Structure formats: structure tokens, C-alpha cells
């Protein structure tokens, strides 16, 4: 689909700037519904269609779960085995530092909304708004959005 003359083309999530106005295109990976006891907000994570699936970053144990002493479920809570790593130290100022490597996701937050009809996991969106870095993720608050439809297979 060609954009109208004079309009900017949407960029991929990985090509977003750290700050400033941007127009991007991606797919909803997940949505978060906040409890009724918290301030109303609707949060979605957007990824590129071409982006590879995220790699699991869990701990690896020597034996398969449920088999032998090295299984994750058989370790006492206060025991540190040779195959686990201690939790990294957290630098208080690190939450606003620029992440290393390419951006994989965009967090989109609609404040004052508990749900947005049509915005669910798997939905394709075009978003326009101000990008800022929050907790190491590029984030847009209350962006303009367009739900891009796909023709149903016949």
C-alpha cells in the first residue's frame, strides 16, 4: 500500500528514535489489563512482523526437570548450585539508560482507558506519537493509532 504524497512512511519498531515524534508500524505481541484497584491504563507491546521470536533467557540446569538432584524443583530455596547465577546488581540510574543493541519492542500505553476495542494480540497497527525511553523500552503514551485490517482468507 502506498502512502499519500507528502505523508511520512511508517518505520519499523527497531528503527524508532530514542526520543521524538515517530510514525511506526507493527503487530501487538501482548496486552496488559490493569486491576480495577489501579489507575486506568491499557498497555500493549508492539513488535515488527519480521522480527525474530524472542529467545528464552531462563536459567539452564544440568539435568531435565524432575530427573535427579539437578532439577529446578529439587533445589532448596537458599541453595545456589554451580549451574545458576546470582541476581545481577541493579544500578538505580540504569532504568533510563539507552539499551544496548536493537530495539525489539515498543510499549504503548493508553492512559485513562481499561480496554480498546479491536486492539488485541495479533492485531496490526500503525501508531503515531512521541517516543520516550522508560525502563529500557521505547514507549509511546496515548498515540494516534490505526487498526490495519487484513482480508479474511476465503
Amino acid at each position: 500500500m502506498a502512502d499519500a504524497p507528502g505523508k511520512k512512511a511508517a518505520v519499523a519498531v527497531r528503527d524508532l528514535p530514542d526520543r521524538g515524534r515517530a510514525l511506526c508500524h507493527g503487530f501487538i505481541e501482548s496486552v496488559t489489563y490493569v486491576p480495577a484497584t489501579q489507575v486506568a491504563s491499557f498497555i500493549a507491546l508492539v513488535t515488527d512482523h519480521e522480527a525474530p521470536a524472542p529467545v528464552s533467557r531462563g536459567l539452564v540446569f544440568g539435568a531435565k526437570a524432575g530427573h535427579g538432584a539437578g532439577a529446578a524443583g529439587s533445589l532448596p530455596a537458599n541453595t545456589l548450585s554451580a549451574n545458576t547465577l546470582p541476581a545481577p546488581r541493579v544500578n538505580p540510574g540504569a532504568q533510563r539508560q539507552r539499551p544496548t543493541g536493537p530495539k525489539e519492542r515498543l510499549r504503548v500505553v493508553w492512559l485513562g482507558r481499561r480496554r480498546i476495542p479491536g486492539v488485541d494480540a495479533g492485531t496490526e497497527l500503525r501508531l503515531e506519537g512521541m517516543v520516550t525511553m522508560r525502563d529500557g523500552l521505547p514507549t509511546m503514551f496515548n498515540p494516534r493509532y490505526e487498526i490495519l485490517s487484513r482480508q479474511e482468507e476465503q
Side-chain angles (χ1 to χ4, degrees):
M1 178 172 93
D3 288 331
K7 271 197 131 183
K8 289 189 334 181
V11 299
V13 171
R14 66 180 166 272
D15 298 329
L16 283 172
D18 286 344
R19 304 181 104 192
R21 182 161 292 281
L23 177 67
C24 72
H25 172 263
F27 290 84
I28 301 288
E29 179 181 275
S30 65
V31 296
T32 303
Y33 301 99
V34 296
T37 58
Q38 293 183 1
V39 175
S41 65
F42 182 73
I43 303 165
L45 289 178
V46 178
T47 60
D48 291 324
H49 185 267
E50 306 86 32
V55 177
S56 174
R57 295 183 178 108
L59 297 175
V60 177
F61 294 94
K64 293 183 181 179
H67 298 289
S74 65
L75 290 176
N78 61 358
T79 302
L80 184 64
S81 74
N83 293 334
T84 61
L85 300 174
R89 295 180 138 218
V90 176
N91 181 0
Q95 67 184 12
R96 296 198 186 221
Q97 290 178 352
R98 181 183 170 126
T100 58
K103 300 170 193 79
E104 296 176 359
R105 295 184 176 108
L106 168 69
R107 178 182 15 213
V108 183
V109 180
W110 284 277
L111 299 170
R113 304 283 301 262
R114 295 221 178 262
R115 183 162 176 2
I116 298 178
V119 177
D120 295 311
T123 302
E124 185 177 10
L125 291 178
R126 181 178 293 139
L127 300 158
E128 181 180 5
M130 295 296 289
V131 178
T132 185
M133 294 300 283
R134 290 283 182 237
D135 302 323
L137 274 177
T139 303
M140 275 188 189
F141 289 95
N142 295 333
R144 291 182 178 177
Y145 66 96
E146 179 182 354
I147 298 173
L148 303 175
S149 64
R150 288 189 239 175
Q151 292 181 358
E152 294 183 22
E153 295 185 27
Q154 297 175 13

